[in-house]
Amino acid sequence: MKITVAVDIMGGDNPPSELAQGAVNAAKEFAGEGLELILVCTEDAASQLPQLPKNVTLELANSVVEMTDDPSVVMKEKKDSSLVTAVTLCKEGRADAVVSAGNTGALFTASSLIIRRIKGVRRAALGSIIPVEKPFILLDCGANLDATPEILQLYARMGSIYAQVVLGIENPRVGLLNNGTEPHKGIALYQETYKLLSADETINFVGNCEGKSLPFDACDVLVCDGFTGNIALKIIEGMAKFMGHCIKGIFHAGPLAMLGGALTLKQTKALKEQVDPSEYGGAPFLGLAKPVVKAHGSSDAYSFRSAIKQVLKYCKGGTIEKITASMANKNSSVNIEE
């Protein structure tokens, strides 16, 4: 099965050559699985790329969407950008999926307008895989700041399917992020969502999850509105960096501490790899009619390679088809009309 991914290598924090190297590494590693890539970049960036294998081609664009660009004007002012070009390749059928490390809002806007959503999906969601001992997917983590109970139910269904396909979890446990575990906790939005999720037989709902329980295998899919989810995600990322900084400081506090660090080097290295977000490389936009993964803006070659690996699983697992089937399921109160 051939899978062609349009890869936007412009607009990230690292130079295009770094992202191109990650793409080339992925193309070589997964060539046997039918992976083909279309690297999208400007002519200047193309001149600095490494040698490309046979399953990688180039598509030139005339401009770049910067991180500082307003997503609402990208489709008007930068239709010839690498980001919009990559999304258009997917819309036209030349590519099956898109990966970009560029402006998150611009990628979401362009994908929503060009690729569109799956029939029945009122709002697409940005899902981020949280790399704790047992990783879980958090959605929405910023695509839509507000929501309704029906939209949160939609997120639960899409996240559950993604966890099955990409994380390999047979019967994902769905949790609702809240300020207490009791059914009556939270604002009206979350109380009503609790009722919907409890009655939905297509998911494995395990109830409310408090923030303090998230690192301890509380659920496989965590559902919330985009405002709450983005704050939760940033706190998790910040605490991971803080703890890493503290551990590093401890092991450099003196000769005995340095000796302790040397003796536990294998364990600390394993811990670092366990919580490293580069193992997944990015966040999927769930609900779009074609797979789109937003790679981390700070992606290096390895992280970008991981994002491409993730979108390959997304495609090969039939995620879009499974979400489409879920929208047609009658055992639901989800309002599928726009």
Side-chain angles (χ1 to χ4, degrees):
M1 178 182 181
K2 186 180 78 169
I3 301 294
T4 302
V5 182
V7 181
D8 172 26
I9 60 171
M10 309 299 297
D13 296 339
N14 284 314
S17 57
E18 175 77 12
L19 301 187
Q21 186 60 62
V24 167
N25 292 344
K28 293 178 179 178
E29 183 177 352
F30 305 113
E33 297 185 39
L35 179 64
E36 295 189 0
L37 302 180
I38 303 174
L39 300 191
V40 187
C41 62
T42 61
E43 188 172 358
D44 288 344
S47 64
Q48 304 173 34
L49 297 185
Q51 184 175 358
L52 303 179
K54 292 182 179 180
N55 58 336
V56 179
T57 59
L58 276 178
E59 184 81 15
L60 296 181
N62 295 322
S63 65
V64 178
V65 175
E66 305 293 347
M67 291 294 187
T68 54
D69 285 338
D70 184 347
S72 65
V73 301
V74 165
M75 289 300 297
K76 295 180 180 180
E77 299 178 1
K78 291 191 174 181
K79 288 184 178 181
D80 61 350
S81 65
S82 59
L83 187 152
V84 174
T85 299
V87 173
T88 302
L89 288 173
C90 195
K91 170 65 175 179
E92 293 175 348
R94 292 176 57 191
D96 302 299
V98 178
V99 172
S100 174
N103 185 310
T104 303
L107 181 61
F108 181 67
T109 299
S111 298
S112 298
L113 293 175
I114 297 173
I115 295 176
R116 313 290 290 181
R117 297 186 300 274
I118 295 170
K119 183 179 180 181
V121 174
R122 295 174 63 189
R123 293 189 189 180
L126 180 61
S128 183
I129 299 176
I130 308 301
V132 287
E133 184 176 3
K134 291 189 177 180
F136 64 91
I137 182 168
L138 165 66
L139 72 165
D140 183 16
C141 59
N144 302 287
L145 297 186
D146 59 350
T148 65
E150 292 77 18
I151 288 173
L152 293 185
Q153 182 188 17
L154 169 65
Y155 293 169
R157 286 189 170 195
M158 295 194 299
S160 185
I161 292 169
Y162 199 81
Q164 288 177 323
V165 173
V166 177
L167 299 181
I169 302 170
E170 185 175 348
N171 189 26
R173 298 160 299 158
V174 177
L176 183 64
L177 183 60
N178 212 328
N179 65 331
T181 58
E182 299 85 354
H184 65 273
K185 285 287 188 174
I187 58 177
L189 168 63
Y190 285 87
Q191 293 175 12
E192 291 302 314
T193 301
Y194 189 100
K195 296 176 184 178
L196 286 182
L197 299 186
S198 297
D200 191 337
E201 296 179 5
T202 68
I203 61 172
N204 178 20
F205 182 53
V206 295
N208 289 328
C209 293
E210 294 181 288
K212 66 181 182 181
S213 67
L214 299 183
F216 303 105
D217 195 27
C219 61
D220 305 303
V221 179
L222 184 65
V223 175
C224 58
D225 63 272
F227 180 80
T228 303
N230 190 264
I231 292 175
L233 177 63
K234 297 298 173 59
I235 291 174
I236 292 169
E237 291 176 339
M239 286 303 299
K241 291 181 179 179
F242 172 72
M243 293 304 297
H245 174 76
C246 290
I247 292 172
K248 185 177 180 180
I250 290 171
F251 288 145
H252 287 79
L256 289 178
M258 293 178 69
L259 177 59
L263 292 174
T264 59
L265 181 61
K266 181 179 180 180
Q267 289 76 15
T268 53
K269 184 178 180 181
L271 175 62
K272 182 179 179 181
E273 291 176 353
Q274 179 179 306
V275 299
D276 187 357
S278 66
E279 291 299 321
Y280 295 95
F285 287 115
L286 298 182
L288 296 176
K290 295 287 184 71
V292 178
V293 168
K294 168 61 178 72
H296 300 301
S298 59
S299 292
D300 56 13
Y302 182 80
S303 180
F304 206 60
R305 163 260 179 208
S306 297
I308 295 171
K309 177 184 177 181
Q310 184 182 164
V311 85
L312 181 61
K313 287 186 177 181
Y314 193 156
C315 293
K316 293 177 76 69
T319 310
I320 300 296
E321 293 77 12
K322 291 176 181 177
I323 292 175
T324 302
S326 178
M327 293 303 97
N329 191 293
K330 300 300 183 182
N331 178 35
S332 170
S333 61
V334 171
N335 176 13
I336 66 171
E337 298 299 328
E338 182 60 52

